Amino acid sequence: MNRVWLFGNSSNQLSPKARMLIDSNSYSLNQELRKMAVRGTQATLSDHNGNFLMSSNGVWIANALNDTMMNGSGLNPGWDVNAHPNGLLWDYGNIIIPFPGDPDKYILFHQAYYTDIFTYTYLGGTHKSIIDIAQNGGLGAVIEKNDTLIVDKMSTGLAACKHANGRDWWVIAQKDSSDIVYKILLTPNGVESIATQNLGYNQFFYG
């Protein structure tokens, strides 16, 4: 699923970037020319055979040809993208998950700031966008975009793990300077619930 990693933060398409291909016991790093630059935020997805399907830098979504996926521009509209048009700076600010029960659909969870970071409020949003990979001749199309799930003072980063039922997913986001985590439950019905849990100890400021 995550066989491909992208490197290179230059917005110049003629400036060389790189792609790392990871196998079970080896990796290869190859230079390439690519439209998408990555800064801090990156999500990539390959199918079960290792074929590259899509990527996102928090600003837009690219298809397997490294071009803009149909309806894939305009992620996270607002201050953060305006300030970082070549890729958001959030560490682990994107994550792509197979949509439970539908082999053609994937869901991108993504984060961005709402307020200027120099105010030190770190008010941010956690959103979701849905991709149907079967559309546009198998290159995919974004069929739902920028659906806001959480607005709060957030630390950077998302994590996900498979539900014990082997089908659903838990997606976790961290509230800034707090012991609270948000738990997003993804089922075949979509986002089934969003709840919070206290960890019992505060996290470091901002993350």
Side-chain angles (χ1 to χ4, degrees):
M1 298 291 287
N2 57 352
R3 178 174 183 257
V4 178
W5 288 85
L6 305 179
F7 299 88
N9 61 10
S10 174
S11 59
N12 184 351
Q13 293 187 47
L14 298 180
S15 176
K17 301 177 180 67
R19 174 176 304 225
M20 180 181 287
L21 302 178
I22 302 171
D23 292 318
S24 58
N25 56 7
S26 65
Y27 73 90
S28 61
L29 185 63
N30 304 295
Q31 190 177 97
E32 67 178 7
L33 297 178
R34 188 182 67 244
K35 181 178 180 180
M36 177 175 285
V38 291
R39 300 295 175 92
T41 297
Q42 178 184 172
T44 60
L45 186 75
S46 302
D47 64 18
H48 291 291
N49 295 316
N51 299 308
F52 180 68
L53 295 180
M54 68 185 80
S55 60
S56 176
N57 61 0
V59 177
W60 57 285
I61 301 171
N63 60 29
L65 301 180
N66 296 305
D67 203 355
T68 306
M69 183 176 285
M70 183 179 292
N71 196 31
S73 62
L75 287 182
N76 298 311
W79 170 87
D80 207 356
V81 165
N82 292 339
H84 306 105
N86 298 316
L88 296 187
L89 305 182
W90 287 63
D91 296 329
Y92 311 106
N94 274 357
I95 192 166
I96 306 171
I97 297 175
F99 204 103
D102 191 331
D104 289 333
K105 291 190 176 67
Y106 297 88
I107 184 165
L108 170 68
F109 291 92
H110 46 105
Q111 295 180 308
Y113 287 124
Y114 280 161
T115 53
D116 190 312
I117 60 173
F118 297 108
T119 65
Y120 296 100
T121 61
Y122 298 105
L123 182 66
T126 300
H127 319 279
K128 69 176 175 69
S129 297
I130 298 176
I131 298 105
D132 185 342
I133 200 65
Q135 294 198 26
N136 194 27
L139 292 175
V142 180
I143 59 174
E144 180 183 317
K145 187 164 57 179
N146 296 325
D147 181 16
T148 301
L149 303 174
I150 302 168
V151 177
D152 204 341
K153 293 174 64 178
M154 304 298 293
S155 291
T156 62
L158 296 164
C161 65
K162 204 72 172 285
H163 194 287
N165 64 19
R167 181 198 65 188
D168 302 337
W169 289 84
W170 291 105
V171 179
I172 305 299
Q174 174 72 50
K175 181 176 170 67
D176 180 45
S177 304
S178 169
D179 72 336
I180 294 174
V181 294
Y182 284 91
K183 304 182 298 183
I184 303 168
L185 177 60
L186 179 66
T187 76
N189 297 322
V191 172
E192 189 82 13
S193 65
I194 302 174
T196 58
Q197 178 176 329
N198 294 82
L199 298 179
Y201 58 92
N202 282 0
Q203 301 297 298
F204 291 111
F205 174 72
Y206 173 40

